[in-house]
Short mmCIF file of all heavy atoms in Angstrom, two decimals:
data_model
loop_
_atom_site.label_atom_id
_atom_site.label_comp_id
_atom_site.label_asym_id
_atom_site.label_seq_id
_atom_site.Cartn_x
_atom_site.Cartn_y
_atom_site.Cartn_z
N ALA J 468 -26.38 -13.58 94.79
CA ALA J 468 -27.26 -14.08 95.84
C ALA J 468 -28.46 -14.80 95.25
O ALA J 468 -28.91 -15.83 95.76
CB ALA J 468 -27.73 -12.92 96.73
N LEU J 469 -29.00 -14.27 94.15
CA LEU J 469 -30.13 -14.91 93.49
C LEU J 469 -29.74 -16.28 92.97
O LEU J 469 -30.47 -17.27 93.16
CB LEU J 469 -30.62 -14.03 92.34
CG LEU J 469 -31.71 -14.64 91.44
CD1 LEU J 469 -32.98 -14.88 92.26
CD2 LEU J 469 -32.00 -13.70 90.27
N LEU J 470 -28.59 -16.38 92.33
CA LEU J 470 -28.15 -17.66 91.78
C LEU J 470 -27.95 -18.68 92.89
O LEU J 470 -28.32 -19.85 92.75
CB LEU J 470 -26.86 -17.48 90.99
CG LEU J 470 -26.99 -16.69 89.69
CD1 LEU J 470 -25.61 -16.55 89.05
CD2 LEU J 470 -27.95 -17.36 88.72
N LEU J 471 -27.37 -18.26 94.00
CA LEU J 471 -27.12 -19.19 95.08
C LEU J 471 -28.41 -19.66 95.74
O LEU J 471 -28.47 -20.75 96.31
CB LEU J 471 -26.21 -18.52 96.13
CG LEU J 471 -24.76 -18.32 95.68
CD1 LEU J 471 -24.02 -17.49 96.73
CD2 LEU J 471 -24.05 -19.65 95.45
N SER J 472 -29.47 -18.83 95.65
CA SER J 472 -30.74 -19.20 96.28
C SER J 472 -31.55 -20.14 95.42
O SER J 472 -32.50 -20.76 95.90
CB SER J 472 -31.56 -17.94 96.57
OG SER J 472 -32.04 -17.37 95.36
N LEU J 473 -31.21 -20.27 94.14
CA LEU J 473 -32.00 -21.09 93.24
C LEU J 473 -31.48 -22.52 93.22
O LEU J 473 -30.29 -22.76 93.12
CB LEU J 473 -31.97 -20.51 91.82
CG LEU J 473 -32.74 -19.21 91.62
CD1 LEU J 473 -32.45 -18.64 90.25
CD2 LEU J 473 -34.23 -19.42 91.79
N THR J 474 -32.37 -23.46 93.31
CA THR J 474 -32.07 -24.88 93.21
C THR J 474 -33.01 -25.48 92.19
O THR J 474 -33.95 -24.82 91.75
CB THR J 474 -32.28 -25.57 94.58
OG1 THR J 474 -33.68 -25.51 94.88
CG2 THR J 474 -31.49 -24.88 95.68
N PRO J 475 -32.81 -26.73 91.78
CA PRO J 475 -33.78 -27.33 90.87
C PRO J 475 -35.21 -27.26 91.40
O PRO J 475 -36.16 -27.12 90.64
CB PRO J 475 -33.29 -28.77 90.73
CG PRO J 475 -31.80 -28.65 90.92
CD PRO J 475 -31.65 -27.59 91.98
N THR J 476 -35.40 -27.36 92.74
CA THR J 476 -36.73 -27.21 93.30
C THR J 476 -37.23 -25.79 93.16
O THR J 476 -38.36 -25.51 92.77
CB THR J 476 -36.73 -27.62 94.79
OG1 THR J 476 -36.31 -28.97 94.88
CG2 THR J 476 -38.11 -27.46 95.39
N GLY J 477 -36.33 -24.81 93.43
CA GLY J 477 -36.69 -23.42 93.31
C GLY J 477 -37.00 -23.01 91.89
O GLY J 477 -37.66 -22.00 91.65
N LEU J 478 -36.52 -23.79 90.93
CA LEU J 478 -36.78 -23.50 89.53
C LEU J 478 -38.26 -23.44 89.24
O LEU J 478 -38.71 -22.70 88.39
CB LEU J 478 -36.10 -24.56 88.66
CG LEU J 478 -36.31 -24.52 87.15
CD1 LEU J 478 -35.77 -23.22 86.60
CD2 LEU J 478 -35.64 -25.70 86.49
N LEU J 479 -39.06 -24.26 89.96
CA LEU J 479 -40.48 -24.30 89.72
C LEU J 479 -41.12 -22.95 90.01
O LEU J 479 -42.17 -22.63 89.45
CB LEU J 479 -41.12 -25.39 90.60
CG LEU J 479 -40.63 -26.82 90.35
CD1 LEU J 479 -41.26 -27.77 91.34
CD2 LEU J 479 -40.95 -27.25 88.92
N ALA J 480 -40.51 -22.16 90.88
CA ALA J 480 -41.07 -20.85 91.22
C ALA J 480 -40.74 -19.79 90.19
O ALA J 480 -41.28 -18.69 90.25
CB ALA J 480 -40.57 -20.42 92.60
N CYS J 481 -39.87 -20.08 89.27
CA CYS J 481 -39.46 -19.09 88.29
C CYS J 481 -40.60 -18.73 87.35
O CYS J 481 -40.79 -17.59 86.99
CB CYS J 481 -38.26 -19.61 87.49
SG CYS J 481 -37.86 -18.68 86.00
N GLY J 482 -41.35 -19.73 86.92
CA GLY J 482 -42.51 -19.47 86.09
C GLY J 482 -42.20 -19.15 84.65
O GLY J 482 -43.09 -18.71 83.90
N ALA J 483 -40.95 -19.32 84.20
CA ALA J 483 -40.56 -19.03 82.84
C ALA J 483 -40.09 -20.30 82.15
O ALA J 483 -39.73 -21.28 82.82
CB ALA J 483 -39.46 -17.97 82.82
N PRO J 484 -40.07 -20.32 80.82
CA PRO J 484 -39.63 -21.52 80.12
C PRO J 484 -38.18 -21.90 80.40
O PRO J 484 -37.83 -23.09 80.40
CB PRO J 484 -39.83 -21.18 78.64
CG PRO J 484 -40.87 -20.11 78.64
CD PRO J 484 -40.62 -19.32 79.88
N VAL J 485 -37.31 -20.90 80.59
CA VAL J 485 -35.91 -21.12 80.95
C VAL J 485 -35.60 -20.22 82.13
O VAL J 485 -35.95 -19.04 82.11
CB VAL J 485 -34.94 -20.82 79.78
CG1 VAL J 485 -33.50 -21.10 80.19
CG2 VAL J 485 -35.32 -21.62 78.54
N CYS J 486 -34.92 -20.76 83.13
CA CYS J 486 -34.65 -19.99 84.34
C CYS J 486 -33.16 -20.00 84.68
O CYS J 486 -32.45 -20.97 84.41
CB CYS J 486 -35.41 -20.57 85.52
SG CYS J 486 -37.20 -20.43 85.37
N LEU J 487 -32.72 -18.92 85.30
CA LEU J 487 -31.40 -18.88 85.91
C LEU J 487 -31.38 -19.79 87.12
O LEU J 487 -32.30 -19.76 87.95
CB LEU J 487 -31.07 -17.45 86.37
CG LEU J 487 -30.50 -16.47 85.37
CD1 LEU J 487 -30.48 -15.07 85.96
CD2 LEU J 487 -29.09 -16.89 84.96
N VAL J 488 -30.35 -20.61 87.23
CA VAL J 488 -30.21 -21.51 88.37
C VAL J 488 -28.76 -21.47 88.84
O VAL J 488 -27.87 -21.01 88.12
CB VAL J 488 -30.61 -22.96 88.02
CG1 VAL J 488 -32.07 -23.04 87.62
CG2 VAL J 488 -29.72 -23.53 86.93
N ASP J 489 -28.54 -21.98 90.03
CA ASP J 489 -27.18 -22.15 90.52
C ASP J 489 -26.46 -23.15 89.61
O ASP J 489 -26.90 -24.30 89.49
CB ASP J 489 -27.24 -22.67 91.96
CG ASP J 489 -25.87 -22.94 92.55
OD1 ASP J 489 -24.85 -22.69 91.87
OD2 ASP J 489 -25.82 -23.42 93.70
N PRO J 490 -25.38 -22.74 88.94
CA PRO J 490 -24.71 -23.67 88.03
C PRO J 490 -24.19 -24.93 88.72
O PRO J 490 -24.09 -25.99 88.09
CB PRO J 490 -23.56 -22.84 87.45
CG PRO J 490 -23.39 -21.70 88.37
CD PRO J 490 -24.73 -21.42 88.95
N ASP J 491 -23.89 -24.85 90.02
CA ASP J 491 -23.40 -26.02 90.74
C ASP J 491 -24.50 -27.05 90.98
O ASP J 491 -24.21 -28.19 91.38
CB ASP J 491 -22.79 -25.61 92.08
CG ASP J 491 -21.50 -24.82 91.92
OD1 ASP J 491 -20.83 -25.00 90.89
OD2 ASP J 491 -21.17 -24.03 92.82
N SER J 492 -25.76 -26.66 90.74
CA SER J 492 -26.86 -27.60 90.92
C SER J 492 -27.10 -28.46 89.68
O SER J 492 -27.91 -29.38 89.72
CB SER J 492 -28.15 -26.84 91.26
OG SER J 492 -28.66 -26.15 90.12
N LEU J 493 -26.39 -28.16 88.58
CA LEU J 493 -26.63 -28.85 87.31
C LEU J 493 -25.67 -30.02 87.13
O LEU J 493 -24.46 -29.87 87.32
CB LEU J 493 -26.47 -27.87 86.15
CG LEU J 493 -27.42 -26.66 86.16
CD1 LEU J 493 -27.04 -25.69 85.03
CD2 LEU J 493 -28.86 -27.10 86.05
N ALA J 494 -26.22 -31.16 86.75
CA ALA J 494 -25.40 -32.34 86.44
C ALA J 494 -25.14 -32.33 84.93
O ALA J 494 -25.95 -32.79 84.14
CB ALA J 494 -26.13 -33.60 86.85
N LEU J 495 -23.99 -31.78 84.53
CA LEU J 495 -23.64 -31.62 83.12
C LEU J 495 -22.40 -32.45 82.82
O LEU J 495 -21.44 -32.45 83.59
CB LEU J 495 -23.39 -30.14 82.81
CG LEU J 495 -24.58 -29.22 83.11
CD1 LEU J 495 -24.18 -27.75 82.97
CD2 LEU J 495 -25.77 -29.55 82.22
N THR J 496 -22.42 -33.14 81.69
CA THR J 496 -21.41 -34.16 81.43
C THR J 496 -20.34 -33.74 80.42
O THR J 496 -19.35 -34.45 80.26
CB THR J 496 -22.09 -35.44 80.92
OG1 THR J 496 -22.79 -35.14 79.69
CG2 THR J 496 -23.08 -35.98 81.94
N ARG J 497 -20.53 -32.61 79.74
CA ARG J 497 -19.58 -32.21 78.71
C ARG J 497 -19.14 -30.77 78.92
O ARG J 497 -19.87 -29.96 79.52
CB ARG J 497 -20.19 -32.37 77.31
CG ARG J 497 -20.62 -33.81 77.02
CD ARG J 497 -21.03 -33.98 75.58
NE ARG J 497 -19.91 -33.76 74.67
CZ ARG J 497 -20.02 -33.81 73.34
NH1 ARG J 497 -21.19 -34.05 72.78
NH2 ARG J 497 -18.96 -33.61 72.58
N VAL J 498 -17.97 -30.44 78.41
CA VAL J 498 -17.44 -29.09 78.57
C VAL J 498 -16.69 -28.67 77.31
O VAL J 498 -16.00 -29.49 76.69
CB VAL J 498 -16.52 -29.00 79.82
CG1 VAL J 498 -15.34 -29.93 79.69
CG2 VAL J 498 -16.05 -27.57 80.05
N ILE J 499 -16.86 -27.42 76.93
CA ILE J 499 -16.08 -26.81 75.86
C ILE J 499 -15.32 -25.64 76.45
O ILE J 499 -15.91 -24.74 77.05
CB ILE J 499 -16.97 -26.31 74.71
CG1 ILE J 499 -17.55 -27.48 73.90
CG2 ILE J 499 -16.19 -25.38 73.77
CD1 ILE J 499 -18.51 -27.06 72.80
N THR J 500 -14.00 -25.67 76.33
CA THR J 500 -13.19 -24.48 76.58
C THR J 500 -12.58 -24.07 75.24
O THR J 500 -12.71 -24.78 74.25
CB THR J 500 -12.08 -24.75 77.61
OG1 THR J 500 -11.10 -25.60 77.01
CG2 THR J 500 -12.64 -25.42 78.86
N PHE J 501 -11.91 -22.96 75.23
CA PHE J 501 -11.31 -22.46 73.99
C PHE J 501 -9.78 -22.48 74.08
O PHE J 501 -9.10 -21.84 73.28
CB PHE J 501 -11.84 -21.06 73.70
CG PHE J 501 -13.35 -21.03 73.66
CD1 PHE J 501 -14.08 -20.61 74.77
CD2 PHE J 501 -14.03 -21.46 72.54
CE1 PHE J 501 -15.47 -20.61 74.75
CE2 PHE J 501 -15.41 -21.48 72.51
CZ PHE J 501 -16.13 -21.05 73.62
N ASP J 502 -9.27 -23.26 75.05
CA ASP J 502 -7.84 -23.26 75.31
C ASP J 502 -7.03 -23.99 74.25
O ASP J 502 -5.83 -23.77 74.13
CB ASP J 502 -7.56 -23.88 76.68
CG ASP J 502 -8.11 -23.05 77.82
OD1 ASP J 502 -8.32 -21.84 77.61
OD2 ASP J 502 -8.34 -23.59 78.90
N ASP J 503 -7.66 -24.87 73.48
CA ASP J 503 -6.93 -25.61 72.45
C ASP J 503 -6.98 -24.94 71.08
O ASP J 503 -6.50 -25.48 70.09
CB ASP J 503 -7.50 -27.04 72.32
CG ASP J 503 -7.25 -27.86 73.58
OD1 ASP J 503 -6.25 -27.58 74.27
OD2 ASP J 503 -8.05 -28.76 73.87
N ILE J 504 -7.56 -23.75 71.03
CA ILE J 504 -7.68 -23.00 69.78
C ILE J 504 -6.61 -21.92 69.76
O ILE J 504 -6.27 -21.34 70.80
CB ILE J 504 -9.07 -22.36 69.66
CG1 ILE J 504 -10.15 -23.43 69.79
CG2 ILE J 504 -9.22 -21.61 68.34
CD1 ILE J 504 -11.53 -22.86 69.93
N ARG J 505 -6.06 -21.65 68.60
CA ARG J 505 -5.11 -20.54 68.49
C ARG J 505 -5.76 -19.26 68.97
O ARG J 505 -6.93 -18.99 68.68
CB ARG J 505 -4.66 -20.37 67.04
CG ARG J 505 -3.75 -21.47 66.51
CD ARG J 505 -3.35 -21.17 65.08
NE ARG J 505 -2.67 -19.89 64.97
CZ ARG J 505 -2.66 -19.14 63.87
NH1 ARG J 505 -3.30 -19.53 62.77
NH2 ARG J 505 -2.00 -18.00 63.84
N SER J 506 -5.01 -18.49 69.74
CA SER J 506 -5.55 -17.27 70.33
C SER J 506 -4.49 -16.18 70.26
O SER J 506 -3.35 -16.42 69.84
CB SER J 506 -5.97 -17.52 71.78
OG SER J 506 -4.86 -17.91 72.57
N GLY J 507 -4.85 -14.99 70.67
CA GLY J 507 -3.92 -13.88 70.68
C GLY J 507 -4.26 -12.93 71.81
O GLY J 507 -5.36 -12.94 72.35
N GLY J 508 -3.30 -12.11 72.20
CA GLY J 508 -3.53 -11.11 73.21
C GLY J 508 -4.26 -9.91 72.62
O GLY J 508 -4.52 -9.83 71.42
N GLY J 509 -4.62 -8.96 73.49
CA GLY J 509 -5.28 -7.74 73.02
C GLY J 509 -6.59 -8.05 72.35
O GLY J 509 -7.50 -8.60 72.96
N PRO J 510 -6.71 -7.72 71.06
CA PRO J 510 -7.98 -7.98 70.37
C PRO J 510 -8.23 -9.46 70.10
O PRO J 510 -9.34 -9.83 69.71
CB PRO J 510 -7.84 -7.20 69.06
CG PRO J 510 -6.37 -7.16 68.81
CD PRO J 510 -5.75 -7.03 70.18
N GLY J 511 -7.23 -10.29 70.28
CA GLY J 511 -7.39 -11.72 70.04
C GLY J 511 -7.14 -12.11 68.61
O GLY J 511 -6.83 -11.29 67.75
N LEU J 512 -7.25 -13.41 68.35
CA LEU J 512 -7.09 -13.94 67.01
C LEU J 512 -8.43 -13.83 66.28
O LEU J 512 -9.42 -14.43 66.69
CB LEU J 512 -6.63 -15.39 67.05
CG LEU J 512 -6.42 -16.05 65.68
CD1 LEU J 512 -5.22 -15.45 64.97
CD2 LEU J 512 -6.24 -17.56 65.84
N ARG J 513 -8.43 -13.07 65.22
CA ARG J 513 -9.68 -12.81 64.47
C ARG J 513 -10.18 -14.08 63.79
O ARG J 513 -9.42 -14.83 63.19
CB ARG J 513 -9.41 -11.72 63.44
CG ARG J 513 -10.53 -11.46 62.46
CD ARG J 513 -10.19 -10.27 61.61
NE ARG J 513 -11.00 -10.21 60.39
CZ ARG J 513 -10.99 -9.17 59.54
NH1 ARG J 513 -10.21 -8.13 59.79
NH2 ARG J 513 -11.75 -9.20 58.46
N MET J 514 -11.51 -14.29 63.88
CA MET J 514 -12.16 -15.43 63.24
C MET J 514 -13.34 -14.90 62.43
O MET J 514 -14.28 -14.35 63.00
CB MET J 514 -12.62 -16.45 64.28
CG MET J 514 -11.55 -16.87 65.25
SD MET J 514 -12.00 -18.31 66.22
CE MET J 514 -11.81 -19.58 64.98
#
Side-chain angles (χ1 to χ4, degrees):
L469 174 64
L470 291 177
L471 289 173
S472 71
L473 289 171
T474 66
T476 300
L478 176 61
L479 298 176
C481 167
V485 181
C486 294
L487 276 170
V488 298
D489 177 2
D491 291 334
S492 73
L493 299 174
L495 302 172
T496 61
R497 300 188 64 182
V498 61
I499 288 176
T500 71
F501 305 98
D502 294 338
D503 294 332
I504 304 170
R505 289 181 59 207
S506 62
L512 180 69
R513 172 174 162 173
M514 308 193 74

